[in-house]
């Protein structure tokens, strides 16, 4: 750990992650019963099923599935190994491109990416690549097959701000290349959106913790409950001896719609609602602090994956009725069709070509109704207890405001350059993932982060070379 830095951190001791977390709340038996439906909804393959599915692969000479994967995973190669029962080899091939296979196997948009590009998809019989990737990752972890060597940390020191998909990818890639990496995370546990933004029924948190342990096993140190821009600054990190700093802080500030009544306390933000549910499920807060649920009539504004996640979560928290309101048609929704189908099967209702144009309060704590206006001008008033907004988010400005020389665009996204890829206008400070405005999903954030990792490695190698040859003007930090 860097000299002078403190805070909650986790590191490997004897092959295990030791951690110092805040006291967890013992939630009631009633709460546990109410949320029992958070069990993962999609079952894994058995070993026999996985091998049989892998054997259906045609091993195309020009694999379109690989072209459809944002991180260019060598899909036919590891599927071929899986088909022969070589699970360790399959995992090794996957690890060459992905730091989070158990996550990607569950939450990637396979229908629009690898599986959607499979040649067998034309016949409606694509290889279930995501489910196979999930099987390989889970099998490898359960069997303890993979043990990566920890390379000597001699190439330089890198600080990573944020432990979401981008931050974890940067850390894993650079640690494997011989960099000493430390992650600074403001939450009680690492994982970012993987831990606090994607519901348990889609991505079990033990799976996330398992993937994070793999990153920690590479020698990466995690500082928890540590906010950069508040507890420490960019300048302080450079003063502590870091050669480069990566900002992977995501977009944590929800966007709002200008609707009469939208400032009422019963109007919630989807990303904050999902975070509270995750905190409750993991014992950090009491069930009563989640607010939404308990027979409520809930209206969800937006139709991306976050909106669908929040809608299905609201049902699991005990809401009587959940309705997604979207101003366009089903063909324009950003959510995956599979997620929509699951939501409908669970009882979520959808209103297309419709917007909420007014929110009426019953008192200072409860809502009375919402006014729904369709694109043809028809209005309808319906009773409502909560409205949840899922209309996008923007970056927080805490780091930028506390640091000189980091430029942002008109929307607050950090501006970066192409060479070295990902570096901001502040020398030695890099950014990637949602905070730079590029990615849209977990795997897209990973793809961007892998490119930034290459940029960081090139930059640090260059400044180390200049220092070694005693070149002039080698003040490269800040």
């Amino acid at each position: 750990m860097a000299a002078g830095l403190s805070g909650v951190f986790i590191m490997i001791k004897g092959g295990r992650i030791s951690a110092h977390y805040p006291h967890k709340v013992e939630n009631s038996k009633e709460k546990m019963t109410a949320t029992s439906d958070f069990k993962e909804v999609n079952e894994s393959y058995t070993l026999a099923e996985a091998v049989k599915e892998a054997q259906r692969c045609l091993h195309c000479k020009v694999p379109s599935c690989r072209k459809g994967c944002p991180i260019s995973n060598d899909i036919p190669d590891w599927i071929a190994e899986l088909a022969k029962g070589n699970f360790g080899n399959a995992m090794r091939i996957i690890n060459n491109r992905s730091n989070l296979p158990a996550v990607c196997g569950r939450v990637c948009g396979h229908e629009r990416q690898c599986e959607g590009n499979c040649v067998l998809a034309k016949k409606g019989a694509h290889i279930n690549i995501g489910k196979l990737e999930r099987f390989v990752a889970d099998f490898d972890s359960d069997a303890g097959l993979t043990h990566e060597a920890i390379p000597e940390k001699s190439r330089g020191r890198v600080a990573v701000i944020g432990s979401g998909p981008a931050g974890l990818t940067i850390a894993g890639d650079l640690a494997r290349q011989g960099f000493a990496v430390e992650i600074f995370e403001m939450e009680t546990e690492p994982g970012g959106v993987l831990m606090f933004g994607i519901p348990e029924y889609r991505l079990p948190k033990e799976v996330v913790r398992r993937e994070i342990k793999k990153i920690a096993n590479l020698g990466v140190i995690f500082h928890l409950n540590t906010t950069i821009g508040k507890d420490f600054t960019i300048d302080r990190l450079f003063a502590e001896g870091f050669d480069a700093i990566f900002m992977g802080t995501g977009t944590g500030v929800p966007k709002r719609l200008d609707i009469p009544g939208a400032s009422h306390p019963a109007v919630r933000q989807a990303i904050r609602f999902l975070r509270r549910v995750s905190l409750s499920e993991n014992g950090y807060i009491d069930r009563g602090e989640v607010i939404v649920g308990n027979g409520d009539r809930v209206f969800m504004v937006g139709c991306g994956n976050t909106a669908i996640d929040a809608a299905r979560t609201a049902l699991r928290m005990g809401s009587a009725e959940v309705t997604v309101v979207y101003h366009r048609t089903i063909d324009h929704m950003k959510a995956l069709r599979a997620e929509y189908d699951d939501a409908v099967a669970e009882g979520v209702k959808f209103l297309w070509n419709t917007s909420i144009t007014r929110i009426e309060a019953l008192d200072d704590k409860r809502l009375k109704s919402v006014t729904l206006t369709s694109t043809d001008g028809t209005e309808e008033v319906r009773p409502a207890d909560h409205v949840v907004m899922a209309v996008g988010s923007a970056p927080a400005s805490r780091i930028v405001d506390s640091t000189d020389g980091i430029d942002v665009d008109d929307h607050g996204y950090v501006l970066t350059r192409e060479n070295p890829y990902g570096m901001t206008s502040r020398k030695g400070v890099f950014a990637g993932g949602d905070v730079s405005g590029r990615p849209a999903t977990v795997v897209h954030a990973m793809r961007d982060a892998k490119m930034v990792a290459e940029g960081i490695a090139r930059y640090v190698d260059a400044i180390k070379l200049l220092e070694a040859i005693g070149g002039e003007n080698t003040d490269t930090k800040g």
Side-chain angles (χ1 to χ4, degrees), residues 243-258:
D243 298 299
I245 298 169
F246 172 73
M247 295 171 54
T249 49
T251 51
V253 180
K255 294 180 180 178
R256 301 178 181 274
L257 296 179
D258 187 16

Side-chain angles (χ1 to χ4, degrees), residues 235-272:
D235 292 332
R236 170 76 181 277
L237 293 177
F238 276 131
E240 293 288 345
F242 287 101
D243 298 299
I245 298 169
F246 172 73
M247 295 171 54
T249 49
T251 51
V253 180
K255 294 180 180 178
R256 301 178 181 274
L257 296 179
D258 187 16
I259 300 173
S263 61
H264 192 278
V267 178
R268 321 296 291 185
Q269 296 294 331
I271 58 176
R272 291 175 179 167

Side-chain angles (χ1 to χ4, degrees), residues 214-234:
K214 286 167 49 182
I215 303 296
N217 274 327
L218 296 172
V220 175
I221 294 175
F222 292 73
H223 303 264
L224 306 179
N225 290 333
T226 305
T227 303
I228 304 302
K230 178 184 176 183
D231 299 317
F232 302 105
T233 63
I234 293 287

